[in-house]
Amino acid sequence: MPLLTRSLPRRPRVAAPSAPTPPALVPSAWLALLATPVAAGANSPVLILPNMADSLGVRTATATWLVTVFAWAMAVGTPLMAGLLRRRGLGTTLRLSAVLIAAGTAIVAVAPWLPLAMTGRAAQAVGGAGLVTSAMSLAGSVRRMGVITAGFGTLGAVGPLLGSAIADTTSWRVSLAVGAVALLALPAVMRRADLSAPERTTPFDGRGATLLVLTATTLVLVPRYPLPALAASLLTSVLLALHIRSNPTGFVPATLLRTRAFVLSALLACTFATSYFTLLFTIPQLLRDRTDWSTSTIGAGQLVALLAGSVLSMVLAAASARLGRPRVLTILLAVGALAPLTAVLSPWAPLLLLVATLAVFTTSAGQATLAVYATQAAPTAQRPTAIGLFNLCYQLGGAFGPAIAALITLGAG
């Protein structure tokens, strides 16, 4: 008699869990459009300060506060927006940045008084700092970072002439609105990027943020009020150091300051930026003293030199992976030292245009490569903070450079 067997039901096949798909990279062209218009917006008032002063009923020297407040707001806004990125994520940071830029641009468009216009410029700068921090956090490689920083150099170079041309055809108020072009990149970036908010791990360190803002503020004011600002910066720096020691996981993480690669990268970025902005403001005066060139010839020559340096910086950033970190750093240090030495020792005045090329090449390529080195050395959770503090050091170089240039030209005169 045959045995009756009952077939067991087959287990349904369970598909092996697939690895999470990494988010698609945002194209570097969109990141450049998101970040770089702020460079043109920062430099657009350079040639139209007298027009702005007449319109606002103040002296030209007083109108320069519109430039100073923009530099200050970029400096203090960078670590603050990086802190927001770290705690609330990319979506919140991009939305707040867009609101600040739009509101600041609207205020500048109608402001009848200098203090109100300065408020609008500050809002534009903080919003721009948020977009720059967001773009750099999405770069991920030296090559992609190089596209952003080369765009900075290019638009920073054309900013004065662009601002002057727009003012001649429309109004100086429109010239100060060029940074709003960055908002055109927002839809594309927000479609492709991960906008989710990270998990909160520590409470917000309000005291640390305040002390960092005060320290950055006093440092930015050193060029205008050297002795009192220097004394105040020493005091706030000591207080900040004591706070970091008592709260090592706060707004400025102690582990980040103990990371040698981050500290060296940030210091080099500040040094390169200081040298670049010093030479940027010194070279035109030196050319006027050493040649019979007209102002327009000097401006056109410097523009071409700066554009050439920006393109070369993108080339170095693209080749950095093949060259390796030691060679890239050697190139940056060598060219960075060659630029001021050539300016001091060159017997032939047109070589000063080569100095401009070397200077913008060093700072643009340096910002691209050093920003990646600095953030890669930081713990993953602290990388937005690392980007913010790194860019703060770069912005401080932008504040120190013009002051040094003023001392040089006064001494030469």
Side-chain angles (χ1 to χ4, degrees):
M1 184 174 179
L3 296 175
L4 296 177
T5 58
R6 184 175 59 182
S7 61
L8 297 175
R10 293 183 179 179
R11 292 183 179 179
R13 292 185 179 179
V14 179
S18 58
T21 303
L25 291 175
V26 179
S28 54
W30 286 118
L31 297 182
L33 179 59
L34 185 71
T36 57
V38 69
N43 293 344
S44 58
V46 170
L47 299 178
I48 57 175
L49 281 172
N51 295 342
M52 295 161 57
D54 290 342
S55 176
L56 296 170
V58 297
R59 295 182 298 117
T60 300
T62 306
T64 59
W65 274 105
L66 286 168
V67 179
T68 301
V69 77
F70 194 94
W72 166 79
M74 277 289 293
V76 302
T78 296
L80 291 177
M81 298 303 279
L84 180 66
L85 177 63
R86 177 186 175 187
R87 297 182 60 82
R88 296 296 183 88
L90 188 64
T92 300
T93 306
L94 289 175
R95 293 185 189 98
L96 178 59
S97 299
V99 169
L100 287 171
I101 290 176
T105 302
I107 291 172
V108 170
V110 299
W113 312 292
L114 178 63
L116 188 58
M118 289 169 59
T119 302
R121 287 293 281 169
Q124 288 179 319
V126 175
L131 296 186
V132 172
T133 301
S134 299
M136 294 182 76
S137 71
L138 293 170
S141 70
V142 174
R143 180 185 62 81
R144 287 161 56 82
M145 193 76 78
V147 174
I148 297 173
T149 56
F152 264 105
T154 301
L155 290 187
V158 304
L161 292 179
L162 178 64
S164 178
I166 293 175
D168 289 342
T169 55
T170 56
S171 165
W172 65 266
R173 297 179 186 272
V174 181
S175 299
L176 301 191
V178 294
V181 173
L183 300 181
L184 297 176
L186 271 181
V189 173
M190 296 184 76
R191 279 198 308 269
R192 292 170 170 83
D194 179 11
L195 304 180
S196 59
E199 296 182 3
R200 299 184 192 178
T201 56
T202 57
F204 178 70
D205 179 18
R207 182 180 297 177
T210 301
L211 288 173
L212 180 64
V213 168
L214 289 175
T215 302
T217 300
T218 54
L219 288 172
V220 169
L221 291 176
V222 166
R224 283 186 174 268
Y225 311 105
L227 292 180
L230 186 59
S233 65
L234 290 175
L235 175 61
T236 56
S237 297
V238 170
L239 293 175
L240 179 60
L242 293 174
H243 176 75
I244 294 172
R245 186 174 181 179
S246 63
N247 188 8
T249 60
F251 193 80
V252 182
T255 55
L256 199 59
L257 300 182
R258 296 192 194 106
T259 304
R260 186 173 63 175
F262 169 79
V263 173
L264 291 177
S265 297
L267 290 176
L268 280 176
C270 183
T271 302
F272 290 153
T274 301
S275 175
Y276 165 64
F277 284 103
T278 300
L279 294 170
L280 181 67
F281 286 88
T282 304
I283 287 172
Q285 183 61 46
L286 294 178
L287 286 173
R288 280 190 286 268
D289 294 341
R290 300 182 187 181
T291 68
D292 56 356
W293 294 356
S294 65
T295 301
S296 60
T297 301
I298 292 173
Q302 189 172 24
L303 174 61
V304 172
L306 294 175
L307 292 177
S310 298
V311 172
L312 290 175
S313 72
M314 193 183 302
V315 173
L316 179 63
S320 61
R322 295 194 305 272
L323 293 174
R325 187 173 300 186
R327 289 182 180 176
V328 170
L329 290 176
T330 300
I331 292 172
L332 291 176
L333 290 172
V335 178
L338 183 61
L341 287 176
T342 304
V344 172
L345 302 176
S346 172
W348 190 43
L351 274 180
L352 293 172
L353 294 178
L354 176 62
V355 171
T357 300
L358 298 177
V360 72
F361 166 81
T362 303
T363 191
S364 296
Q367 191 182 12
T369 54
L370 294 171
V372 173
Y373 299 160
T375 52
Q376 287 178 345
T380 302
Q382 294 176 358
R383 287 184 178 177
T385 302
I387 291 175
L389 295 177
F390 175 88
N391 283 335
L392 170 61
C393 291
Y394 179 86
Q395 295 296 333
L396 290 177
F400 298 152
I404 298 173
L407 294 175
I408 292 173
T409 54
L410 286 174

